Amino acid sequence: MRVVVVLAGLAVVLAGGSLAFAVHPASGVTVEPVAFSETLTTGLTGVDVRQAEDAGYEVPRVEVFFSEYQYVRGYYGVQSAVSEVTADRTTRQFGRPVGVFVTDFADAGPSVTEAGYLTVASDPAVDWTRASTAYFVVDSAARTPAGPAIVPFGNRVAARSFATEYGGEIRQWTDLRSRDDTEPAVAVENQVTDRREWASRTVDDRGDLLDRRTSIVVGEDAPTLPAAIEAAPPNTTVRLPSGTYRANLTIDKPLTIRGSGAETRIVGDGNGTVLRVRSPRTALLDLSITGGGSDNTGSPPDAGANGSWDETIRNTYGYGDAAVGLDAANRSLVAGVVIETPANGIIARDSDGVVVGNVSIEGSQTWREGFMSVLAIESRMVVHNSTFQGGRDAVYTHHADGIVVRDNRMTGMRFGVHEMFTSRSLVANNTVSETNIGIVVMTRPRSNAVLDNRVTDSGVGVSMSGSASLTTGNVLLDNQYGLDLGTQRSLYARNVLLGNEAGLRTGTIVPTNRVTANDIVDNDRYVSTGRGPVRLWSGNYWGPIPGRDRDGDGTIARPFRPSGVVDRTVGTSDGSGTLARSPAVAVLQQFQASVRGLRSANVVDDAPRSQPVRHEELTAARNATTTRAGHP
C-alpha cells in the first residue's frame, strides 16, 4: 500500500514540476563580468591566493557563467578553468558555458619580478575580456605561488610585447585545450612513487649515524652525560649504559647519543625540554625519556610578533615543552626511543631530512591536557614505524611540505595525523583508532596523498581539504563519518567504507572532485550532502541496489542516487527496491536529469558497479566488524 501511495505522490510532483520548470536556458543569453568576490571560486588554494595577495602579486582569473547554474564560477588560474569548463562532467552538472571572461592585463603594465611573480603598474587597469577573443601568453617567466601562469590579454599587441620581454608563446582560448591538462590528482598519483623513494632514501641515509665510533662511555670516560657531551669529539658516539641520567641539556655538535634500550632512562626536572638538539646530524638512539615540562606552548626569546595567525602558531606551538626539541637539526635521527610526556614528545623546527622511527610516545590520557607526540614545523621529515598513545595529536604539521608519515599506529587522541598549511605530503599505511578524526588535512593545501590507511572507531575517518589531492586505498570502518570530502579537483578511489553512520560526507559548494571505484557498503547512510548542485560520481559499489548488469560489463544499467529520497533507503527499507524500479520513479529521474533545479545537492552515480572493487579487503573488513561486535 505504501508503494502505491508514494507512486501517486510522485505523479503529483511530476505534474507540478512540468509546469514549474518550463523555462529552458537557451541561446541568446547575454552576460557581463561581475565582481570576482561575488563568484564561487576554485582553482588555486586559499593559501596560494592569500600568499599572492599579501605580497601584491597578480593571479590571472576566469569567470564562467553556465546555462543551468545560478552562480558564477570563478577560477584562480587560467589552466584550472580550461581543463574543466568544457569537460563532460562539468557540462552535465552545470549546463553549457554561456559566457567565459578572463582578466585583461593589456593596459595594466604587467611585469615579472626576479622570483617570477606577476605584478602590474596599475591594478585598477586590470579589466575583463571575453576568453574567446583574448590572447594568452603561455610558457613565459610568469608564475603564481602554485606554478607557471598563463597570462591573458585583450589585444595581440600587448600580448606580443609581454612575450618579447618575458618569453613564451601566444595562444588563443581554443588552443589551450590541447595543452597538458592532466587531472591534478592524477599528477599527484604519479608523484607518489617519488615520495616513497625519497622517504626510503632518507631513512637509509640516516643509517650512517648508527655506525659512528664510540668516543665516550658515560660512567667510564666521563662522570655525567653533560660532561660526556662536552668531551666527545664531533661525529662520534656517546654510549649510555643502563641506568637513570638526570639532565636537561643542549646538544650543539653532531653526536650520536646511544643507550641500551628502555633501561637507559634520561629524566628531566619537570621543566622545559629535556634534550635540546641544536646541531645537524645528531642521533638519539635506544633511550627512554621522561620528565619534560607540562607547558604545551611557549615563545622564542627573540620573537618579534607581526600579529599573523601563522606566526602565532609557529611561536607558540613550536616552543612548548617537549622530551626532544630539534632546532635547525637537519638530517638528524630519533630511533628506538620511548617517551612519556604531559606535553609534546618531539618538536622539529626548521629541520630538514629528520627521521623519527621506531619510537613509542605516550601522552596524556585526556587529550585536552596534552599536546603533540610529533610536531613538525617547516621540517620535511619521515615519521615511520612508531606507536602513539594519548595526547592531543599524534603527528601535527605546520608548513612541513613533503613530509612522509607512514606505517604508524595511533590511538586514543584528538587527531591521528593533523596537517596544517602542508602540501605535497604522503600519509600512508597508518592504523588509527579511537580519535575525533583519524587523518585531517586542513587550511587548503594542495597535492597531498592519503593512501592505504585504516581508521576505525573515530568521529571521522579521513577529512580532506585543499585541492589536487589523492585519497585512495583507505579502509574506514565503524566511524561516525567515513570520509569527509572538503577538497576541490581531487580524486577519491578504491576506498572501503563500511559500518559508518555515513559513508561519505560532502559539503563543498562547487563540486569538482572525482569519486570512483570505492566500496561504500553497510553504512547507516550512504552519503551526507550539503548545499550545492548535483555531484556526479561514477563506478562505485554500493552493495545490492536496484538494477541489473545487462551486458556483463560489471555496471548496473541504472544510475544510483544514494542521497535521493528513494535510493537512499534501498538498504534499510522494505519495498524501496520495488519503488526504485517503478516506472514513475524512472520518469522522475529522467526529468531531474534534464532540469538541474530538481536535483540540487544530490549525488548521482551514473555507472554503479555490480560487484565490489576490492572484494578481499571488503570481506576482511566485514569479518573485523563482526568480530568487534562480539559475534562468532
Side-chain angles (χ1 to χ4, degrees):
M1 178 63 69
R2 185 172 65 179
V3 172
V4 174
V5 172
V6 173
L7 290 176
L10 287 174
V12 173
V13 170
L14 287 170
S18 63
L19 297 175
F21 293 91
V23 176
H24 300 282
S27 60
V29 173
T30 300
V31 294
E32 296 295 335
V34 300
F36 198 71
S37 59
E38 297 177 7
T39 68
L40 293 178
T41 59
T42 185
L44 271 66
T45 67
V47 173
D48 290 331
V49 172
R50 189 175 67 180
Q51 179 183 340
E53 290 177 344
D54 289 349
Y57 303 143
E58 293 291 324
V59 176
R61 291 161 290 163
V62 182
E63 290 186 354
V64 184
F65 297 74
F66 289 97
S67 62
E68 299 181 43
Y69 190 47
Q70 61 182 318
Y71 303 107
V72 183
R73 291 189 62 176
Y75 294 82
Y76 285 106
V78 173
Q79 188 62 48
S80 64
V82 169
S83 60
E84 289 188 14
V85 166
T86 59
D88 178 66
R89 184 177 61 180
T90 304
T91 303
R92 291 163 61 196
Q93 290 181 106
F94 307 111
R96 61 182 181 83
V98 296
V100 182
F101 299 90
V102 296
T103 43
D104 178 6
F105 292 98
D107 297 324
S111 61
V112 175
T113 69
E114 290 186 3
Y117 293 109
L118 182 66
T119 62
V120 294
S122 174
D123 191 69
V126 178
D127 204 351
W128 293 97
T129 188
R130 289 190 178 274
S132 58
T133 59
Y135 299 90
F136 300 84
V137 178
V138 302
D139 301 326
S140 72
R143 65 187 309 273
T144 71
I150 298 175
V151 186
F153 295 86
N155 65 72
R156 181 182 287 275
V157 173
R160 184 182 296 112
S161 176
F162 184 87
T164 299
E165 186 164 359
Y166 301 108
E169 299 179 351
I170 299 173
R171 296 285 184 268
Q172 292 189 291
W173 180 252
T174 53
D175 301 327
L176 299 180
R177 285 292 299 167
S178 63
R179 292 175 57 83
D180 180 17
D181 59 353
T182 302
E183 183 178 355
V186 173
V188 175
E189 193 170 21
N190 296 336
Q191 297 163 10
V192 166
T193 298
D194 292 340
R195 298 180 192 182
R196 293 187 192 276
E197 290 178 351
W198 173 84
S200 297
R201 187 169 60 251
T202 299
V203 171
D204 291 344
D205 289 348
R206 298 298 85 78
D208 64 345
L209 304 182
L210 306 174
D211 300 326
R212 288 169 165 165
R213 70 176 182 86
T214 299
S215 60
I216 302 286
V217 177
V218 179
E220 297 178 9
D221 305 308
T224 65
L225 177 56
I229 290 173
E230 184 176 354
N235 301 307
T236 64
T237 295
V238 173
R239 284 197 170 271
L240 282 75
S242 299
T244 299
Y245 301 85
R246 299 193 177 276
N248 285 65
L249 54 87
T250 298
I251 303 169
D252 57 6
K253 54 186 167 182
L255 294 172
T256 295
I257 311 299
R258 189 164 206 159
S260 300
E263 297 78 19
T264 301
R265 297 177 294 276
I266 299 179
V267 181
D269 62 7
N271 296 290
T273 294
V274 181
L275 297 178
R276 297 177 298 275
V277 178
R278 300 290 186 269
S279 171
R281 294 184 55 76
T282 297
L284 305 175
L285 308 174
D286 304 326
L287 304 166
S288 171
I289 305 174
T290 60
S294 58
D295 289 338
N296 294 336
T297 60
S299 61
D302 56 348
N306 62 25
S308 73
W309 182 71
D310 183 63
E311 183 216 39
T312 299
I313 292 295
R314 175 184 172 86
N315 288 348
T316 55
Y317 284 24
Y319 288 86
D321 295 339
V324 176
L326 301 157
D327 206 344
N330 296 341
R331 304 184 305 284
S332 290
L333 172 66
V334 181
V337 174
V338 177
I339 293 173
E340 293 183 19
T341 176
N344 298 288
I346 300 168
I347 297 177
R349 293 182 298 268
D350 304 303
S351 297
D352 187 68
V354 168
V355 172
V356 173
N358 298 296
V359 306
S360 176
I361 301 180
E362 182 174 344
S364 60
Q365 291 186 356
T366 302
W367 70 256
R368 288 181 176 84
E369 297 176 358
F371 223 51
M372 317 304 180
S373 291
V374 175
L375 199 164
I377 295 182
E378 299 189 52
S379 300
R380 185 189 187 195
M381 55 193 294
V382 181
V383 182
H384 72 129
N385 293 328
S386 295
T387 300
F388 306 104
Q389 170 73 47
R392 184 165 300 189
D393 301 341
V395 179
Y396 179 99
T397 74
H398 183 76
H399 286 296
D401 292 351
I403 191 170
V404 174
V405 182
R406 66 182 188 184
D407 303 307
N408 301 287
R409 297 154 299 282
M410 310 167 183
T411 187
M413 57 202 53
R414 181 185 66 166
F415 303 150
V417 178
H418 183 185
E419 293 190 351
M420 299 281 286
F421 296 109
T422 297
S423 298
R424 301 184 299 281
S425 68
L426 173 62
V427 180
N429 299 104
N430 300 286
T431 301
V432 189
S433 65
E434 300 176 23
T435 63
N436 289 6
I437 305 178
I439 298 167
V440 55
V441 179
M442 300 177 66
T443 53
R444 295 171 291 186
R446 65 177 181 270
S447 304
N448 291 303
V450 177
L451 314 178
D452 304 322
N453 302 281
R454 181 183 181 89
V455 184
T456 61
D457 300 305
S458 296
V460 179
V462 174
S463 178
M464 298 291 294
S465 67
S467 68
S469 291
L470 181 69
T471 305
T472 67
N474 301 284
V475 176
L476 308 174
L477 182 66
D478 292 339
N479 306 290
Q480 183 177 358
Y481 295 96
L483 186 55
D484 201 348
L485 287 64
T487 54
Q488 296 178 351
R489 305 167 66 222
S490 296
L491 173 63
Y492 298 84
R494 298 184 59 78
N495 299 290
V496 173
L497 302 103
L498 175 74
N500 306 285
E501 292 184 21
L504 302 104
R505 178 168 62 179
T506 176
T508 51
I509 296 177
V510 181
T512 57
N513 298 309
R514 187 155 66 94
V515 181
T516 184
N518 299 285
D519 293 318
I520 308 161
V521 182
D522 297 340
N523 303 284
D524 294 346
R525 287 178 292 161
Y526 296 108
V527 299
S528 173
T529 60
R531 296 188 297 140
V534 67
R535 278 93 172 154
L536 287 176
W537 301 346
S538 185
N540 299 286
Y541 177 68
W542 303 91
I545 60 173
R548 290 182 296 170
D549 178 3
R550 298 183 183 277
D551 56 8
D553 66 349
T555 300
I556 299 293
R558 171 192 180 276
F560 183 66
R561 295 164 172 79
S563 59
V565 65
V566 176
D567 284 358
R568 70 187 181 196
T569 64
V570 163
T572 58
S573 175
D574 294 338
S576 58
T578 302
L579 178 60
R581 290 186 291 269
S582 68
V585 169
V587 173
L588 175 62
Q589 290 175 346
Q590 291 173 2
F591 191 56
Q592 288 174 323
S594 62
V595 183
R596 271 67 173 179
L598 273 181
R599 57 183 204 178
S600 179
N602 215 341
V603 171
V604 178
D605 190 322
D606 62 359
R609 292 177 60 98
S610 59
Q611 297 295 326
V613 179
R614 302 174 66 195
H615 187 274
E616 292 183 4
E617 290 83 356
L618 182 57
T619 300
R622 279 175 163 153
N623 291 339
T625 298
T626 301
T627 301
R628 286 143 57 86
H631 300 299

